[in-house]
Amino acid sequence: MTRLLFVHAHPDDETLATGVAILHHVRRGDDVHVLTCTLGEEGEVIPAELSHLQGAEGDPLAAHRKGELKGAMGVLGATHHYLGAGDGSDDPSYRDSGMVGSPAFAHPRSFAGADLREVVDVMRSTIRAIAPDVVVTYDEHGGYGHPDHIRVHDAVRAVLAEEPSASTLFVTVTPRSWAIEDRAWLASHVATETGYAVPSTSDEMAPSVVDDAVVTHAVVDAGVVPQQQDALRHHETQVVVGDGWFALSNDIAARLAGREGYAVLDPVTGALAPGDATHRRGLVEDLS
């Protein structure tokens, strides 16, 4: 049995970025773990009836998002961990940093503001305890540039660089052809009257959208999309779920296509393994 560890910054990232792979490998019978590094205290709350949680004294949003994540993990079926939890607490050691320049970034428990070496030491302890064959996290851009996502990437890479033979490291990337197909699909499936914007195929794409040849592996499993949607519905403060699509607080629709792209990363050099656009299926078939 292969053990996989998905490392994420905030609640909901696990389902949004890697939900297909998590569900696929759980169904395969693999031993799947998720590590979350903060409680997403700086998240923008979508439902008006829960808006009082956002930015409130005492971080009530943290407790609410913790409950959301518990519900989502129940759907995903993976084993969950918080980074640095212990000493009688099951909460993570660090807090959501918000964006660079925000007051949250200067918080004494800010994840991205913490000393990288300290974070690496905490991360190493957790990864060693789980002992995964495969570790999955964001690319060097953190998907879309969030400092907590980038900190996760840097810390995971540093840990695995110290022990390069211990685990195979994958980062999340999207083939450009998929991104174009998904935007075309959204244009024909998300009605204007929903109020959600649909990006055009010519609009700027996230840094994690790459040439198809860069992607070494793909998890394609349309059958898990209903479960992925169910998991996302637990993240009610952050996500609106449609039929085959979702939107965050920016009101821009994104497709739930039942497919995710990944690339193998050398943690020592930071170089991506050469791809050839064949996109090997799943994340474990090539492990020795």
Side-chain angles (χ1 to χ4, degrees):
M1 180 189 300
T2 302
R3 182 171 297 149
L4 300 94
L5 171 62
F6 295 80
V7 187
H8 286 288
H10 316 109
D12 78 26
D13 291 335
E14 77 297 328
T15 311
L16 291 170
T18 58
V20 172
I22 291 170
L23 286 162
H24 176 80
H25 283 284
V26 167
R27 281 189 174 187
R28 270 177 43 97
D30 295 315
D31 184 15
V32 182
H33 296 250
V34 173
L35 174 64
T36 306
C37 297
T38 80
L39 290 174
E41 293 89 344
E42 294 300 307
E44 296 178 347
V45 175
I46 297 173
E49 65 272 19
L50 295 174
S51 62
H52 63 280
L53 297 173
Q54 184 172 327
E57 185 177 353
D59 281 339
L61 182 57
H64 191 91
R65 294 195 71 181
K66 186 175 183 180
E68 292 180 341
L69 180 56
K70 182 178 180 180
M73 291 306 306
V75 175
L76 296 176
T79 302
H80 185 259
H81 314 261
Y82 281 116
L83 182 66
D87 297 326
S89 171
D90 62 351
D91 289 340
S93 298
Y94 300 100
R95 188 184 185 280
D96 185 350
S97 309
M99 301 305 287
V100 175
S102 70
F105 199 84
H107 191 282
R109 290 179 54 236
S110 165
F111 182 50
D115 179 74
L116 177 60
R117 193 68 244 170
E118 171 195 300
V119 175
V120 169
D121 289 344
V122 177
M123 185 77 73
R124 183 193 309 108
S125 176
T126 302
I127 291 178
R128 281 182 175 175
I130 297 170
D133 303 295
V134 168
V135 178
V136 181
T137 194
Y138 318 100
D139 67 356
E140 63 180 316
H141 306 289
Y144 64 95
H146 194 294
D148 284 344
H149 290 211
I150 295 171
R151 174 49 54 92
V152 170
H153 170 91
D154 292 346
V156 169
R157 181 183 157 193
V159 170
L160 297 185
E162 297 170 354
E163 304 173 6
S165 63
S167 309
T168 300
L169 176 59
F170 287 91
V171 294
T172 57
V173 286
T174 301
R176 192 172 306 279
S177 65
W178 287 10
I180 293 170
E181 290 171 7
D182 289 349
R183 291 184 175 191
W185 182 94
L186 287 164
S188 62
H189 287 79
V190 180
T192 303
E193 52 266 28
T194 63
Y196 295 99
V198 173
S200 75
T201 55
S202 60
D203 287 346
E204 183 179 2
M205 296 187 180
S208 56
V209 176
V210 297
D211 291 340
D212 286 28
V214 172
V215 180
T216 59
H217 291 67
V219 181
V220 180
D221 191 344
V224 305
V225 171
Q227 282 181 277
Q228 185 183 23
Q229 292 183 156
D230 287 345
L232 284 177
R233 289 188 181 98
H234 282 279
H235 292 294
E236 61 178 346
T237 62
Q238 308 298 303
V239 187
V240 173
V241 182
D243 184 9
W245 58 274
F246 71 92
L248 304 178
S249 60
N250 58 10
D251 291 339
I252 298 174
R255 187 183 181 190
L256 295 168
R259 58 189 184 183
E260 293 166 354
Y262 296 90
V264 176
L265 183 81
D266 183 332
V268 177
T269 66
L272 294 171
D276 58 9
T278 59
H279 301 170
R280 293 184 289 276
R281 299 296 180 175
L283 299 178
V284 303
E285 64 180 27
D286 298 320
L287 296 181
S288 57

